[in-house]
Amino acid sequence: MATSIGSAHDIRLRDGRTLRAYDAASGHPDHSDRVTVVWHHGSPQSGELLGPLVTTAATLGVRLVSYARPGYGGSTPAPGRDVAAAADDVAQLADALGVERFAVMGASGGGPHALACAALLPERVTAVACLAAIAPPTGGEAWYAGMASPEGLRAAAAGGREARARHAEDAEFDPASFTDADWAALAGEWAALGDDAAHAGQAWPGGLVDDDVAFARPWGFDAAQVRAPVLLVQGGRDRVVPTRHVDLLAAALPAAEVWRRPDDGHISVLGACPDAMAWLVART
């Protein structure tokens, strides 16, 4: 389990759910001159802030905020949620923290939820950065091509939440999903991410089920609705979310800037986080 960095906030949402949020700069006396970045975690993770992100935010003078999606951490599950639902949750999170405008950043399963905020909160989201983000489903086999373990998404697409939950009962992680560079990152700077993901997968399997169901069905918004500047970062050796997905996202977001890192996998691509966060600051 990751060591918690920053203050945790349990935010009561309008529908009665609780959203667990983290603010790396809660002790700062004045946030008015600071850019706020809302981080959208991968699948599965607890939503707690991770050291490399906090270090980068401190260097850049960013107020970094994160939250656990429904079903993870201390956030109330919301079975049947779609990707678009993240926008309203984040709007209420920002209201509770007194933040009017903010950038969003997400990795892997967090990428679609960051895009949802940009699409559905156009007056509030200043820019969006997505690393190794999954693309909207196409309904064809090409969407799965290159994935080391597409079975969970296939189950979600074919049978919804019940089928995806059955798959989770005996599913095991395939170590071949990660490259040597990924494993090196998990043994080094991003060790806390690996610990956090392992803990989250065991403690809150329903969160991952709901994520996969949301990814495999219509997202509830069109990527063409995004008007904020977009950065897409993709590892050329990614075996979890292969390069086909950044191609699909780039086609849907023709004004997006694309950084291709040919030697990176799904985890090692996070080495681009400092530059990506600086990119957000420059556009906010």
Side-chain angles (χ1 to χ4, degrees):
M1 184 175 180
T3 300
S4 183
I5 302 174
S7 297
H9 302 262
D10 281 342
I11 297 167
R12 184 79 164 180
L13 302 180
R14 287 188 295 267
D15 62 5
R17 288 184 294 118
T18 294
L19 198 72
R20 173 69 55 84
Y22 298 88
D23 186 351
S26 290
H28 196 279
D30 182 13
H31 300 300
S32 61
D33 61 343
R34 310 185 78 184
V35 171
T36 297
V37 174
V38 178
W39 172 260
H40 295 259
H41 65 78
S43 309
Q45 283 183 254
S46 70
E48 293 188 21
L49 289 166
L50 299 171
L53 298 173
V54 175
T55 298
T56 294
T59 300
L60 295 172
V62 163
R63 181 183 185 183
L64 183 65
V65 173
S66 182
Y67 74 102
R69 282 193 296 280
Y72 290 113
S75 294
T76 308
R81 60 179 166 87
D82 59 10
V83 174
D88 189 52
D89 284 356
V90 169
Q92 293 183 69
L93 161 63
D95 289 345
L97 297 181
V99 176
E100 180 56 34
R101 287 170 61 76
F102 50 91
V104 291
M105 186 173 178
S108 189
H113 297 92
L115 287 171
C117 293
L120 300 175
L121 303 172
E123 302 304 317
R124 304 189 71 170
V125 173
T126 57
V128 54
C130 298
L131 298 93
I134 195 166
T138 61
E141 278 298 306
W143 193 66
Y144 303 102
M147 291 184 183
S149 298
E151 297 82 11
L153 288 168
R154 287 186 185 277
R161 193 174 196 278
E162 183 177 347
R164 180 59 182 85
R166 284 199 305 270
H167 171 76
E169 292 174 0
D170 54 11
E172 295 184 1
F173 176 73
D174 180 1
S177 298
F178 290 161
T179 66
D180 289 345
D182 290 334
W183 288 114
L186 289 169
E189 183 181 20
W190 292 96
L193 184 151
D195 292 343
D196 185 63
H199 171 70
Q202 293 179 351
W204 307 293
L208 178 57
V209 167
D210 290 331
D211 272 357
D212 275 0
V213 173
F215 299 146
R217 70 178 190 177
W219 285 6
F221 68 95
D222 191 325
Q225 294 173 249
V226 177
R227 292 291 179 263
V230 178
L231 173 65
L232 304 173
V233 186
Q234 179 67 37
R237 299 181 185 275
D238 195 327
R239 299 171 184 167
V240 178
V241 179
T243 55
R244 166 69 173 163
H245 285 252
V246 78
D247 295 337
L248 290 170
L249 285 170
L253 299 158
E257 187 170 337
V258 182
W259 294 354
R260 298 179 186 271
R261 294 166 61 95
D263 295 327
D264 278 335
H266 196 66
I267 305 299
S268 58
V269 75
L270 296 177
C273 280
D275 289 339
M277 198 179 294
W279 186 95
L280 291 173
V281 170
R283 287 155 181 80
T284 299

